[in-house]
């Protein structure tokens, strides 16, 4: 194995900062950490004068356990890690816990877990850590079912540090490819691994590269698509904020494989931190000769440019993205020609999702057979999911494809199975499916009428109205469509109007449901691009699996008791203790005081269904009803 | 000029290969309705009226005729119940963008809706129609993009799409020497299928920008 000597130097340097001989405090400074006050912790810790040379304080990315943010880990010189999670309470108390721990008195109060490096002084990723003691059982369960292959460095290394990335085995795949493999070999390896596009559609990555590499045009382009717009999905963001170099390495490998001389990263401008980390990663790589002319002294040269997306959902669709990059309006166009035969400026262009690219270095290092060890026959490897919604432990997880939903939601997410009604898989173009034990791989999800999508997984409990959720998603798509074709623009708007008539009680009969289904199918048939074709998935799947909810709404009844125009508040006088809470809290004076046995009653004509009385009543004697039209 | 044989409604026809199917059929006297196609500007696929069914590996599938290139052996059906139904749907959605100054457009769309009705009964929801019209900033414009494309074609580029999704609208791009740049050629006015651009593009599109 040829390992260029300056990579060796970088690795040594990185090792010193990863596993120093002083105590080291690492604070999770990705967006999720920042939103729960991590920056404040960092400021206070770095300001401690007395620590000048004793304790190191640094930032890392996202460990994935977003539910416990802000996350702080402490590494003692003997290779032990103390993971602390403050569950949104970054106050002076938590600050003192960290300070005392760093000074040698580890507290157990916010301790999630204690782990040890298997061989003190070596750390390649989370797989090198051995759990010693569990502080919070949930934290251990959260990681137990996961297989953190490409997110192994997230939350352990400083995303802005190239040496730390190299020390954890980074860029060795690149060195291997450049000096030992031909571009054709790289393509063959990726094809043999069976890696499928992680952006949602699941096209075989090796095949895509092969198409581009067979083009007669010598000028080829690779684009990393990081324009992630799905509500509830943030895997690209987490990767770029926590481990930007792995994406960059994948991008360089992809460019080498198809012999491209130019590569682009297309990032949403709503991801300022990801953009900043990526810019730093690119310039750091250029400074040490990993990008630019003659990479690492080989004969391969590459320039990487960062393009900020204008920030519309449709710009993440690959054809629309290519238009945007040439300075035009983000309107998709019909494929074929596919970008891999004629894309940006007419040159063959490989467009890969960020997560797809992050898989490439792993495949080159460990080989396609090792890659196939996890996952299913047709969907090998691992997939990052973003667990959100009604679960105890939402976060950023990586599991083998084909993992059962039960393992993900109940073990990792910690949700009680009895409370869950449905899952929303694959963002607004995915589907709303009933919660059952199915395998999370491309085929199984497609057989339910949803798509794998980018990997958003929203858990919905019994208090969520699925008609209203589907309406919200269709509304999102109707606003975010490019507006070129009638069915996607006006058809979706029409669907949204129909769904609104259901949720506000204007729908008069079940004829509306047949109409909803007809129009949804027409939109799927007639829309010109993937956005329109999949925008109706939430409606079609929820109609298929939860038709009774729609029927109830058509009768003016909301089973989940959330659609305001369809619900009423009643006070059960037998339990009322006359505490006056509801009377005082009501903003519209709808709670009237009566004489006699019935102390209070809600005057329906004044009630604005704000739920204030329901949430305030200490005795639980307010009931929400939804009678419907008989 | 190469010609290929295609099968239209079970009849073998020889059509030109270098133009969109809708145009190739027009030259054979088969007139598919369309509001967003113009032979100088090519297929665009906005209005959805020119829908036909073609035979693919997955069976008969609806497609826009203006976005299809004729190829040898292509099987097309222009009048199936599915096609008529989809056409009626498209017409209904377009009517919501009315009323249109050109009455013949209203008539055509009304006729298409009726033809589809024979194959599927749909309740005509007057209230919903009124509601969706209320939110429309430019009644009479169907956003077919013909004016934008023709203006670009003649190298003036004074019209553009603004916004996206259901808030999409056409807008006039002002410039310093307006009088010299726009208002005389009337290309957009002549190409507009619904007669919306009156008296000029500047008036039609600027006045409604911030309503």
């Amino acid at each position: 194995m040829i390992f260029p000597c300056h990579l060796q130097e970088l690795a040594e340097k990185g090792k010193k900062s990863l596993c120093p001989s002083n105590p080291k405090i690492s604070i999770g400074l990705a967006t999720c950490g920042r939103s729960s006050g991590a920056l404040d912790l960092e400021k206070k810790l770095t300001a401690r004068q007395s620590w000048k040379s004793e304790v190191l304080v640094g930032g890392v990315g996202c460990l994935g356990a977003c539910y416990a943010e802000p996350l702080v880990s402490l590494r003692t010189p003997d290779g032990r890690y103390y993971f602390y999670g403050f569950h949104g309470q970054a106050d002076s108390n938590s600050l003192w816990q960290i300070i005392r721990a760093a000074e040698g008195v580890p507290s157990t109060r916010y301790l999630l877990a204690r782990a040890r490096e298997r061989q003190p002084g070596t750390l390649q990723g989370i797989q090198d850590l051995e759990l010693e003691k569990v502080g919070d059982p949930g934290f251990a369960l959260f990681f137990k079912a996961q297989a953190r292959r490409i997110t192994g460095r997230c939350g352990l290394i400083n995303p802005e540090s190239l040496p730390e990335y190299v020390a954890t085995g980074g860029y060795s795949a690149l060195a291997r490819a450049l000096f030992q493999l031909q571009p054709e070999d790289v393509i063959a390896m990726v094809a043999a691994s069976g890696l499928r596009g992680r952006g949602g559609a699941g096209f075989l990555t090796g095949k895509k590269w092969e198409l581009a590499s067979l083009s007669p045009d010598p000028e080829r382009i690779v684009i990393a698509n990081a324009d992630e717009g799905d509500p509830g999905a943030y895997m690209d963001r987490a990767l770029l904020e926590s481990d930007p170099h792995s994406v960059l390495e994948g991008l360089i490998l992809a460019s080498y494989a198809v012999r491209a001389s130019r590569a682009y990263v297309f990032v949403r401008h709503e991801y300022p931190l990801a953009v900043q980390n990526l810019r730093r990663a690119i310039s750091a790589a250029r400074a040490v000769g990993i990008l630019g002319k003659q990479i690492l002294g080989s004969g391969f040269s590459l320039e990487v440019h960062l393009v900020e997306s204008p920030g519309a959902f449709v710009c993440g669709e690959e054809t629309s993205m290519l238009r945007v990059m040439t300075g035009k309006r983000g309107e998709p166009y019909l494929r074929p020609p596919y970008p891999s035969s004629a894309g940006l400026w007419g040159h063959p262009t490989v467009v890969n999702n960020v997560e797809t690219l992050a898989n490439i270095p792993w495949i080159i290092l460990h080989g396609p057979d090792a890659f196939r060890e996890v996952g299913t026959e047709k969907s090998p490897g691992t997939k990052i999911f973003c667990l959100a919604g009604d679960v105890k432990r939402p976060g950023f997880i990586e599991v083998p494809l084909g993992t059962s939903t039960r393992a993900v939601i109940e073990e990792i997410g910690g949700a009680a199975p009895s409370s869950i009604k449905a899952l929303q898989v694959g963002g607004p173009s995915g589907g709303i499916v009933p919660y059952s034990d199915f395998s999370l791989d491309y085929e199984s999800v497609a057989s339910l009428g949803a798509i794998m999508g980018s990997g958003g997984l929203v858990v919905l409990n019994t208090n969520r109205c699925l008609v209203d959720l589907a309406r919200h998603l269709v509304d999102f798509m109707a606003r975010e469509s490019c507006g070129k074709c009638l069915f996607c623009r006006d058809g979706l708007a029409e669907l949204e109007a129909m769904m609104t008539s259901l949720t506000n009680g204007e729908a008069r009969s079940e004829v509306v449901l047949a109409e909803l289904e007809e129009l949804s199918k027409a939109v799927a048939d007639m829309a010109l691009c993937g956005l329109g074709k999949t925008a109706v998935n939430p409606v079609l799947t929820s109609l298929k699996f939860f038709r009774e909810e729609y029927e109830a709404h058509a009768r003016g009844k909301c089973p989940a008791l959330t659609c305001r125009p369809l619900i009423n508040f009643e006070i059960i006088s037998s339990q009322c203790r006359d505490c006056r809470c509801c009377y005082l809290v009501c903003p519209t004076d709808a709670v009237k005081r009566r004489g006699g046995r019935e102390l209070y009653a809600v005057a329906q004509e004044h009630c604005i269904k704000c739920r204030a009385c329901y949430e305030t009543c200490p005795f639980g004697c307010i009931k929400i009803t939804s009678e419907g039209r008989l | 000029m190469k010609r290929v044989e295609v099968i239209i409604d079970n009849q073998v026809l020889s059509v030109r290969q270098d133009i969109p199917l809708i145009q190739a059929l027009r030259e054979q006297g088969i007139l598919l309705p369309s509001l967003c196609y113009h032979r100088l500007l090519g297929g665009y696929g906005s209005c959805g009226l020119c829908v036909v069914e073609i035979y693919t590996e997955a069976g008969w599938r609806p497609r826009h005729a203006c976005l299809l290139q004729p190829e040898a052996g292509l099987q097309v059906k222009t009048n199936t119940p599915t096609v008529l139904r989809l056409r009626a749907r498209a017409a209904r959605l377009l009517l919501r963008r009315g009323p249109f100054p050109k009455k013949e457009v209203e008539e055509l769309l009304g006729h298409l809706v009726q033809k589809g009705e024979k194959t599927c009964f749909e309740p005509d929801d007057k209230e919903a129609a009124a509601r969706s019209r209320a939110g429309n900033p430019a009644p009479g414009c169907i956003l077919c993009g013909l004016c934008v494309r023709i203006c670009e074609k003649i190298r003036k580029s004074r019209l553009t799409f603004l916004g996206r999704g259901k808030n999409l609208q056409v807008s006039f791009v002002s410039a310093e020497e307006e009088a010299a740049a726009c208002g005389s050629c009337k290309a957009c006015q002549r190409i507009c299928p619904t007669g919306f651009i009156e008296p000029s593009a500047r008036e039609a599109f600027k006045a409604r920008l911030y309503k």
Side-chain angles (χ1 to χ4, degrees):
Chain A
M1 166 95 217
I2 304 171
F3 204 65
C5 60
H6 64 291
L7 273 190
Q8 204 71 51
E9 282 166 37
L10 281 171
E12 292 300 322
K13 194 175 152 195
K15 215 166 173 172
K16 282 200 187 80
S17 70
L18 263 182
C19 308
S21 50
N22 293 28
K24 182 177 104 169
I25 296 176
S26 307
I27 307 161
L29 288 182
T31 302
C32 40
R34 288 174 186 221
S35 62
S36 48
L39 279 176
D40 196 39
L41 278 179
E42 188 211 22
K43 207 163 76 191
K44 285 177 176 151
L45 287 172
T46 44
R48 281 185 71 80
Q49 292 296 331
S50 57
W51 277 9
K52 266 287 175 264
S53 57
E54 292 166 36
V55 179
L56 307 165
V57 180
V60 290
C62 169
L63 194 63
C66 303
Y67 71 97
E69 293 277 8
L71 291 164
V72 176
S73 67
L74 166 79
R75 184 189 182 276
T76 53
D78 59 354
R80 278 201 166 72
Y81 283 78
Y82 296 84
F83 290 102
Y84 290 97
F86 299 105
H87 296 276
Q89 301 183 332
D91 50 16
S92 56
N93 186 359
S94 42
L95 194 69
W96 277 108
Q97 302 283 352
I98 307 172
I99 292 169
R100 294 193 45 192
E103 289 174 347
V105 195
S107 79
T108 53
R109 205 175 143 198
Y110 292 99
L111 187 72
L112 299 170
R114 189 177 78 206
R116 187 169 59 89
E117 287 165 4
R118 284 203 175 83
Q119 301 159 326
T122 53
L123 178 72
Q124 297 269 312
I126 202 159
Q127 66 276 7
D128 291 345
L129 293 182
E130 196 176 22
L131 200 63
E132 278 191 323
K133 182 183 161 201
V134 178
D136 166 16
F139 188 76
L141 283 172
F142 184 82
F143 284 99
K144 198 175 151 197
Q146 292 193 49
R148 291 181 85 93
R149 255 187 200 179
I150 56 174
T151 54
R153 299 185 189 91
C154 295
L156 295 176
I157 67 164
N158 178 351
E160 293 173 13
S161 159
L162 173 67
E164 286 190 15
Y165 177 71
V166 177
T168 50
Y171 290 118
S172 48
L174 179 66
R176 181 170 174 209
L178 290 179
F179 296 107
Q180 296 180 340
L181 301 172
Q182 289 299 313
E184 293 73 31
D185 305 337
V186 177
I187 295 180
M189 280 175 96
V190 173
S193 74
L195 172 68
R196 299 178 64 166
R198 298 290 191 243
F203 191 76
L204 286 165
T205 307
K207 203 166 175 180
K208 195 184 266 188
W209 290 9
E210 203 174 340
L211 285 172
S213 69
L214 293 175
S215 168
D217 186 346
E219 172 85 11
R220 288 141 195 195
I221 297 166
V222 179
I223 303 175
N225 186 349
D227 190 70
E228 170 182 62
D230 285 9
Y234 49 90
M235 42 256 135
D236 296 1
R237 178 177 63 73
L239 267 178
L240 290 171
E241 285 175 1
S242 315
D243 195 8
H245 282 285
S246 68
V247 178
L248 200 57
E249 187 177 3
L251 185 63
I252 303 171
L253 284 166
S255 308
Y256 176 70
V258 302
R259 294 194 165 91
S261 54
R262 268 189 298 165
Y264 295 88
V265 188
F266 189 79
V267 197
R268 293 188 76 169
H269 80 160
E270 289 94 336
Y271 283 177
L273 187 63
V275 170
Q276 173 193 306
N277 283 356
L278 209 77
R279 278 193 203 286
R280 286 183 183 163
I282 292 172
S283 60
R286 194 175 285 127
V288 299
I290 290 173
L291 276 179
K293 296 236 179 318
Q294 269 126 40
I295 292 176
L296 294 176
S298 70
F300 177 65
S301 306
L302 177 75
E303 279 304 327
V304 173
H305 305 277
L306 193 141
V307 181
E308 276 191 58
S309 155
F313 182 71
V314 72
C315 296
E317 202 277 343
E318 62 179 9
T319 57
S320 153
M321 178 178 87
L322 295 173
R323 281 233 167 124
V324 169
M325 288 174 74
T326 53
K328 294 199 163 59
R329 224 177 148 256
E331 271 176 12
Y333 59 84
L334 271 186
R335 297 173 303 190
Y338 281 87
S340 29
S341 50
L344 194 63
W345 310 113
H347 299 301
T349 307
V350 168
V351 181
N352 278 138
N353 172 271
V354 162
E355 193 193 329
T356 313
L357 291 171
N359 272 291
I360 306 294
W362 202 96
I363 294 172
I364 302 297
L365 273 187
H366 301 84
D369 296 339
F371 184 79
R372 282 182 170 277
E373 275 168 16
V374 302
T376 64
E377 176 59 32
K378 284 188 170 168
S379 313
T382 59
K383 173 88 189 81
I384 303 177
F385 287 102
C386 289
L387 202 52
D390 301 314
V391 281
K392 211 155 69 183
R393 296 187 287 271
F396 159 72
I397 61 171
E398 184 183 356
V399 290
L401 276 161
T403 304
S404 72
T405 43
R406 180 150 298 164
V408 171
I409 304 221
E410 292 169 33
E411 288 174 34
I412 298 177
S418 57
S419 70
I420 310 171
K421 179 161 69 174
L423 292 182
Q424 197 225 317
V425 192
S429 41
I432 300 170
V433 297
Y435 178 62
S436 63
D437 200 14
F438 62 90
S439 146
L440 282 164
D441 59 67
Y442 290 89
E443 280 76 23
S444 316
V445 173
S447 69
L448 287 165
I451 54 167
M452 182 66 104
S454 46
L457 205 56
V458 183
V459 182
L460 303 153
N461 69 13
T462 41
N463 301 327
R464 308 280 170 188
C465 175
L466 300 182
V467 180
D468 194 45
L469 176 77
R471 183 200 61 77
H472 173 81
L473 293 172
V474 167
D475 183 42
F476 173 84
M477 287 302 226
R479 285 172 198 281
E480 289 296 339
S481 149
C482 80
K484 178 176 157 177
C485 52
L486 174 90
F487 273 88
C488 179
R489 181 190 67 225
D490 291 355
L492 289 177
E494 187 74 5
L495 269 182
E496 198 263 329
M498 275 190 244
M499 309 275 282
T500 306
S501 78
L502 282 173
T503 55
N504 67 12
E506 286 172 8
R508 283 279 161 259
S509 71
E510 290 184 15
V511 175
V512 145
L513 305 192
E515 180 62 5
L516 268 178
E517 204 158 354
E518 275 266 326
L519 183 56
S520 300
K521 285 181 178 155
V523 171
D525 275 338
M526 295 294 288
L528 294 177
C529 81
L531 183 140
K533 282 189 188 303
T534 56
V536 293
N537 278 350
V539 185
L540 287 173
T541 48
S542 55
L543 257 173
K544 180 171 148 193
F545 295 115
F546 299 98
R547 203 178 177 89
E548 68 284 359
E549 286 208 22
Y550 280 85
E551 285 165 357
H553 278 78
R555 291 194 306 272
K557 188 171 171 177
C558 175
L561 305 174
T562 53
C563 293
R564 284 181 189 187
L566 308 180
I567 56 174
N568 285 322
F569 290 76
E570 277 176 30
I571 298 174
I572 308 162
S573 45
S574 59
Q575 294 169 16
C576 176
R577 310 278 182 85
D578 198 4
C579 73
R580 300 180 67 225
C581 281
C582 55
Y583 180 75
L584 293 171
V585 81
C586 179
T588 57
D589 287 343
V591 179
K592 302 286 181 207
R593 204 181 155 83
R594 300 274 173 85
R597 303 228 346 243
E598 188 192 31
L599 291 164
Y600 297 93
V602 180
Q604 299 300 345
E605 67 274 16
H606 298 302
C607 173
I608 54 163
K609 332 264 181 184
C610 68
R611 304 175 84 93
C613 55
Y614 176 77
E615 280 156 18
T616 318
C617 178
F619 307 105
C621 55
I622 293 179
K623 195 170 83 178
I624 304 180
T625 56
S626 181
E627 296 298 327
R629 291 182 302 271
L630 298 173
Chain B
M1 198 177 75
K2 210 169 152 227
R3 300 184 78 87
V4 286
E5 296 210 327
V6 293
I7 304 161
I8 312 284
D9 294 332
N10 302 328
Q11 286 188 336
V12 179
L13 284 181
S14 154
V15 296
R16 274 174 63 183
Q17 195 192 0
D18 54 345
I19 47 176
L21 183 72
I22 183 172
Q23 186 68 28
L25 293 185
R26 277 183 189 181
E27 294 182 358
Q28 301 291 325
I30 300 171
L31 303 177
L32 296 172
S34 157
L35 289 176
C36 71
Y37 178 78
H38 190 280
R39 67 192 159 76
L40 295 175
L41 298 170
Y44 190 65
S46 165
C47 74
L49 293 178
C50 67
V51 57
V52 292
E53 277 196 287
I54 63 164
Y55 191 72
T56 63
E57 294 158 7
W60 292 94
R61 284 273 171 267
R63 291 276 187 281
H64 294 75
C66 64
L67 298 172
L68 279 171
Q69 288 302 115
E71 42 189 89
L74 183 74
Q75 299 184 51
V76 185
K77 288 192 174 175
T78 62
N79 256 332
T80 61
T82 312
V83 167
L84 292 177
R85 226 186 350 245
L86 284 170
R87 230 172 251 163
R89 285 208 167 275
R92 187 185 294 280
L93 289 172
L94 287 167
L95 278 170
R96 296 266 163 106
R97 295 226 159 239
F100 304 115
K102 282 190 185 167
K103 285 293 155 253
E104 58 266 41
V105 174
E106 300 250 355
E107 278 163 27
L108 166 79
L109 295 175
H111 174 66
L112 291 176
V113 170
Q114 296 239 314
K115 267 176 92 170
E117 298 276 273
K118 285 177 192 158
T119 53
C120 78
F121 170 73
E122 296 168 12
D124 190 34
D125 192 346
K126 292 267 189 306
E127 279 176 36
R131 247 208 315 273
S132 64
R133 278 181 185 180
N136 185 355
C141 169
I142 55 164
L143 300 166
C144 66
L146 281 169
C147 54
V148 179
R149 287 180 283 154
I150 192 81
C151 199
E152 205 169 331
K153 177 120 183 153
I154 59 176
R155 294 268 183 271
K156 293 209 174 173
S157 302
R158 309 303 312 277
L159 293 172
T160 180
F161 278 117
L162 260 198
R164 61 179 183 270
K166 54 186 185 185
N167 303 318
L168 185 76
Q169 49 182 295
V170 178
S171 163
F172 183 80
V173 183
S174 4
E176 285 182 8
E177 299 151 18
E178 247 169 54
C182 172
S184 52
C185 87
K186 299 261 194 277
C188 54
Q189 210 172 327
R190 286 201 193 97
I191 208 168
C192 177
T194 63
F196 174 74
I197 303 179
E198 267 308 319
S200 71
R202 190 179 322 169
E203 295 304 313
F205 294 126
K206 209 158 107 183
R208 297 181 176 80
L209 240 181
Y210 298 109
K211 253 186 192 170

